[in-house]
């Protein structure tokens, strides 16, 4: 690293002193905190993104968002060249530079890291970072900090993509690195044309009642509502009404996918007149999606159709199309058997896991956080992953897609218009519709809509695939949440010693009882999840285990979600 580069880092970082007395951590999906303390972190992540671009010789993404958190928070996360999350190997570097107390110490960490990673740092290679942000008011000034960080690396440039959803930015990074068109309109065009393609392949006779056509979307008062308006323009035939657009309400306050999923009541802007209508909620950066419907006008309690049910719907459809394709032993003839897998976390409702198992599907469990689910899903030809909270997608392997293309070409010449060829075309359309970089509420929503029309199902019919087991989530404020260490995809707490035995003794008291604790990756709390055969039993199990957490970890208090 030459002197010019060194002095550039020193002088620019002196403009962004880190906050005193705060330790920041990259966490489950990037840094998140009150926006007022994030300038220096975002500046430093700008440096990291430029280095990542130099190292990979690819375009890197930086998204400024705190997703479903309150509006005064903000955050930043890095998108790798594939469009997925930052490689986990670089997270410790992110943590250390975010917490370096002085410009000199920051420079030293950067120098050591550059040497260790063998990053060529002579300014002769370009680096490019795409920047996106959600609608938070703090986004503008944090964007400037990120730009300063990027431009403190010689040869690095920032491209501001403006206000975008998180999945849009990930999609753009992926498209750029594949040499494809990567503008917002290209994204809308890809989603709408593949959706139309699925509708063109709807079997004759499938039809949904007119009254069931309407979909009402809760935009969480965030970026999703504005962008969904844009997407709507390129879609015809889909009747979407968007509420909670941010013109009046506050981002994520009493609205959005996180609120709806956890509270199981109507979000603001919805009321008794919506009884029986198919509704969906996005979160603040539109990477989560849940559906719901109001069963009775006398209560605001909703029937929630969560990420587990979306996963189940997708799994049913994909499995069905794959089996049409294999009819007559075609795949066996080819000597190729597509491996379909579904990936869940411990939060998946036990009833969903049973249902998927009964379908004969291979099920894998990972820790919470998209980076873990995504990585696992990539091991399959078709890997479907979802968290109960509504974040997920379907990944198709390159190998499977080339096989499918070839199969489709062969069927087109041998039996054009056959059921088998239609199945191949449907799967190809799904692979284009559903975001391959990260979970995306828009592509998820369009795929749900297409499958419901395909099957002629109402939201009630879909919701009736299986009955959720009653569950309860609590959070416990403890002195040090890192004292909890889990194993087996967070289903067992191995530390502090003895805590799992105490939890097991509680679980044993409840029929169909299941319960686990884990330290949150986004908040300073320990989370408790309990499931049992009745709501009272699930509540009571969660409360008892929260007390156990108090006893073992030293309490600061516990509250519902
Ligand atoms: C983040 C994760 C989400 C996870 C949640 C858990 C991404 C993009 N988002 O929102 O997948 O479910 O954190 O939060 O990875 P917790 O650790 O606080 O429970
Ligand atoms: Mg989100």
């Amino acid at each position: 690293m030459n002197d010019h580069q060194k002095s550039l880092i020193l002088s620019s970082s002196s403009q962004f002193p880190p906050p005193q007395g705060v330790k920041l951590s990259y966490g489950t999906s990037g840094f998140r905190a009150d926006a007022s303390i994030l300038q220096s972190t975002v500046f430093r992540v700008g440096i990291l993104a430029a280095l990542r671009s130099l190292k990979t010789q690819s375009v890197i993404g930086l998204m400024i968002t705190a997703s479903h958190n309150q509006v005064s928070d903000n955050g930043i996360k890095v998108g790798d060249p594939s469009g997925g999350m930052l490689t986990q190997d670089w997270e410790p570097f992110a943590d250390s530079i975010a917490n370096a107390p002085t410009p000199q110490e920051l420079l030293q960490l950067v120098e050591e890291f550059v040497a260790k990673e063998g990053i060529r740092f002579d300014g002769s290679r370009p680096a490019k970072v795409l920047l996106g942000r959600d609608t938070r008011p703090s986004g503008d000034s944090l964007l400037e900090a990120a730009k300063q960080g990027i431009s403190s690396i010689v040869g690095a440039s920032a491209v501001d993509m403006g206000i975008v959803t998180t999945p849009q930015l990930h999609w753009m990074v992926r498209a750029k690195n594949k040499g494809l068109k990567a503008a917002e309109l290209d994204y809308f065009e890809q989603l709408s044309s593949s959706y139309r393609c699925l509708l063109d392949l709807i079997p004759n006779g499938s039809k949904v009642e007119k009254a069931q056509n309407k979909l009402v979307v809760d935009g969480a008062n965030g970026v999703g509502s504005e962008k969904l308006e844009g997407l709507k323009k390129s879609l015809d035939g889909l009747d979407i009404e968007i509420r909670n657009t941010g013109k009046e309400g506050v981002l994520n306050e009493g609205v959005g996918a996180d609120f709806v999923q956890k509270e199981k009541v109507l979000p603001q802007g919805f009321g008794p007149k919506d009884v029986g209508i198919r509704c969906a909620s996005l979160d603040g950066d539109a990477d989560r999606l849940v559906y719901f419907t109001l069963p009775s006008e006398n209560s605001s309690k909703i029937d929630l159709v969560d990420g587990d049910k979306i996963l189940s719907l997708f799994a049913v459809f994909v499995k069905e199309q794959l089996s049409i394709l294999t009819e007559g032993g075609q795949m066996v003839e080819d000597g190729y058997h597509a491996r379909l897998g579904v990936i869940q976390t411990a939060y998946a409702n036990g009833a969903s896991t049973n249902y998927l198992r009964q379908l004969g599907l291979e099920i894998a469990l990972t820790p919470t956080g998209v980076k873990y689910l995504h990585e696992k899903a990539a091991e399959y030809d078709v890997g479907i992953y979802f968290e109960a909270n509504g974040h997920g997608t379907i990944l198709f392997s390159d190998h499977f897609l080339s096989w499918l293309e070839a199969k489709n070409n062969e069927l087109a010449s041998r039996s054009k218009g056959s059921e088998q060829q239609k199945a191949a075309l449907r799967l190809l359309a799904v692979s284009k519709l559903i975001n391959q970089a990260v979970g995306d509420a828009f592509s998820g929503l369009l795929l749900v809509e297409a499958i419901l029309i395909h099957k002629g199902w109402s939201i009630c019919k879909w919701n009736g695939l299986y009955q959720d087991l009653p569950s309860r989530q609590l959070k416990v404020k403890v002195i040090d949440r890192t004292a909890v260490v889990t194993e087996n995809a967070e289903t067992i707490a191995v530390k502090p010693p003895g805590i799992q035995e105490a939890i097991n003794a509680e679980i044993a008291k409840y029929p169909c009882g299941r319960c686990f604790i884990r330290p949150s990756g986004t908040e300073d709390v320990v989370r408790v999840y309990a499931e049992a055969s009745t709501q009272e039993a699930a509540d009571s199990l969660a409360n008892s285990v929260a007390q156990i957490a108090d006893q073992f970890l030293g309490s600061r208090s516990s509250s519902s979600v």
Side-chain angles (χ1 to χ4, degrees):
M1 194 186 289
N2 62 29
D3 287 347
H4 168 60
Q5 175 64 80
K6 284 185 197 169
S7 69
L8 194 56
I9 294 178
L10 286 175
S11 63
S12 55
S13 60
S14 65
Q15 316 284 313
F16 294 95
Q20 298 293 302
V22 190
K23 189 165 185 302
L24 293 145
S25 155
Y26 195 77
T28 313
S29 64
F31 293 103
R32 259 184 225 182
D34 191 276
S36 61
I37 61 163
L38 275 177
Q39 290 281 339
S40 123
T41 315
V42 170
F43 165 82
R44 289 158 186 227
V45 178
I47 295 182
L48 179 145
L51 294 178
R52 185 83 190 130
S53 176
L54 278 179
K55 164 85 187 191
T56 58
Q57 282 297 288
S58 306
V59 173
I60 293 294
L62 266 194
M63 183 69 197
I64 297 171
T65 176
S67 181
H68 54 279
N69 286 30
Q70 58 191 354
V71 66
S72 52
D73 283 356
N74 215 326
I76 185 152
K77 59 181 162 189
V78 181
D80 245 7
S82 63
M85 303 291 173
L86 172 68
T87 174
Q88 289 168 46
D89 308 348
W90 278 45
E91 288 181 10
F93 176 59
D95 285 345
S96 62
I97 57 170
N99 294 298
T102 62
Q104 287 73 19
E105 278 160 281
L106 173 66
L107 176 62
Q108 193 187 338
L109 286 170
V110 170
E111 281 190 282
E112 283 166 13
F113 188 71
V114 162
K116 180 177 137 247
E117 288 286 323
I119 298 173
R120 283 196 36 206
F121 210 97
D122 49 16
S124 65
R125 292 160 153 228
K128 191 181 262 186
V129 181
L130 299 192
L131 284 166
R133 65 191 191 282
D134 69 16
T135 51
R136 287 177 159 78
S138 53
D140 265 341
S141 72
L142 291 175
L143 181 86
E144 280 314 308
K147 281 185 179 165
Q148 297 279 325
I150 295 163
S151 58
S152 64
I153 298 299
V154 177
S157 60
V159 184
D160 181 7
M161 307 308 288
I163 291 178
V164 286
T165 71
T166 295
Q168 275 186 312
L169 187 81
H170 285 270
W171 184 94
M172 287 166 179
V173 169
R174 182 181 170 86
K176 273 254 180 265
N177 285 320
K178 284 183 165 278
L180 303 169
K181 291 200 273 179
E184 182 169 273
L185 277 179
D186 302 314
Y187 167 85
F188 288 154
E189 169 53 28
Q190 179 165 332
L191 263 60
S192 53
S193 61
S194 44
Y195 172 73
R196 247 178 275 124
C197 179
L198 281 173
L199 292 199
D200 290 344
L201 292 160
I202 296 292
N204 295 336
S206 277
K207 59 173 191 290
V208 185
E209 295 293 316
K210 184 102 181 80
Q212 288 178 4
N213 273 341
K214 181 169 170 171
L215 169 69
V216 184
V217 178
D218 156 24
N221 291 322
V223 56
S225 55
E226 177 196 325
K227 297 298 170 180
L228 190 55
E229 282 293 352
L231 177 60
K232 238 176 93 172
K233 291 195 185 112
S234 48
L235 286 165
D236 39 47
L238 184 60
D239 183 5
I240 307 183
E241 179 190 335
I242 306 166
R243 297 190 197 155
N244 300 331
T245 58
K247 292 197 179 88
E248 281 156 20
V250 178
L251 176 71
N252 297 332
E253 209 172 276
V255 294
D258 195 58
F259 172 83
V260 165
Q261 190 241 346
K262 295 218 168 98
E263 305 295 334
K264 298 192 178 76
V265 293
L266 280 181
Q268 276 173 24
F270 289 71
K273 63 182 183 321
D274 297 314
V275 166
I277 291 183
R278 194 168 71 260
C279 303
S281 262
L282 317 175
D283 75 337
D285 61 339
D287 63 357
R288 288 195 197 177
L289 170 73
V290 294
Y291 273 72
F292 62 93
T293 180
L294 181 67
S296 147
E297 51 185 35
N298 301 322
S299 152
S300 63
K301 243 181 109 359
I302 56 165
D303 282 344
L304 175 72
V305 187
D306 64 1
D308 299 337
K309 283 255 164 75
I310 299 177
L311 167 63
S312 302
L313 183 72
F314 289 179
V316 165
F317 183 74
V318 169
K319 186 169 186 288
E320 191 177 273
Q321 300 311 311
L322 278 173
S323 64
I324 297 175
L325 250 186
T326 57
E327 232 175 49
Q330 290 298 328
M331 289 227 229
V332 180
E333 256 173 49
D334 292 353
Y336 179 61
H337 178 73
R339 229 179 125 215
L340 170 62
V342 294
I343 297 93
Q344 302 191 298
T345 72
Y347 284 112
N349 195 282
S352 76
T353 314
N354 280 341
Y355 174 76
L356 293 163
R357 200 169 285 130
Q358 276 165 20
L359 288 181
L361 290 164
E362 191 174 325
I363 303 162
L365 216 60
T366 72
T368 302
V370 169
K371 58 190 174 194
Y372 303 113
L373 290 121
H374 193 94
E375 190 175 72
K376 188 71 195 169
E379 291 176 14
Y380 294 87
D381 287 310
V382 186
I384 314 179
Y385 73 84
F386 261 89
E387 292 187 310
N389 62 27
H391 194 128
T393 195
I394 308 177
L395 296 187
F396 291 84
S397 73
D398 288 344
H399 184 234
F400 177 70
L401 284 178
S402 12
W403 176 84
L404 197 57
E405 292 276 6
K407 188 93 229 157
N408 177 46
N409 290 340
E410 180 208 318
L411 289 166
S413 58
R414 192 157 52 82
S415 53
K416 198 172 171 58
S418 65
E419 276 313 303
Q420 274 185 308
Q421 200 216 346
K422 283 185 187 163
L425 286 171
R426 285 186 194 113
L427 289 169
L428 284 169
V430 172
S431 76
K432 296 196 177 81
L433 172 57
I434 197 95
N435 198 320
Q436 296 296 288
V438 79
D440 182 338
F442 293 175
S443 58
L445 182 144
L446 292 182
L447 185 54
V448 166
E449 294 299 311
I451 298 176
L452 291 182
I453 299 173
H454 178 101
K455 293 189 113 14
W457 283 1
S458 66
I459 186 166
C460 291
K461 170 96 182 167
W462 169 27
N463 196 28
L465 282 181
Y466 58 84
Q467 203 70 40
D468 274 327
L469 277 168
S471 67
R472 173 66 60 206
Q473 287 194 51
L474 294 177
K475 56 184 177 187
V476 187
K477 291 197 168 141
V478 297
I479 292 163
D480 176 14
R481 75 186 198 277
T482 63
V484 178
V485 178
T486 60
E487 274 181 6
N488 286 8
E490 302 178 321
T491 52
I492 293 171
V494 289
K495 277 187 190 162
I499 197 165
Q500 188 60 47
E501 288 71 15
I503 295 173
N504 290 345
E506 269 318 302
I507 295 174
K509 297 179 188 163
Y510 298 86
C512 303
R514 187 171 73 88
C515 186
F516 63 90
I517 63 167
R518 55 175 284 276
S520 159
T522 64
E523 259 186 275
D524 191 12
V525 295
V526 164
R527 298 203 194 278
V528 177
Y529 176 88
E531 217 170 74
S533 53
T534 65
Q535 190 59 56
E536 294 68 33
D539 292 351
S540 153
L541 177 56
N543 278 315
S544 313
V545 171
Q547 275 169 22
I548 292 175
D550 276 355
Q551 285 156 15
F552 276 78
L553 296 154
S555 156
R556 289 196 284 135
S557 74
S558 87
S559 61
S560 173
V561 281

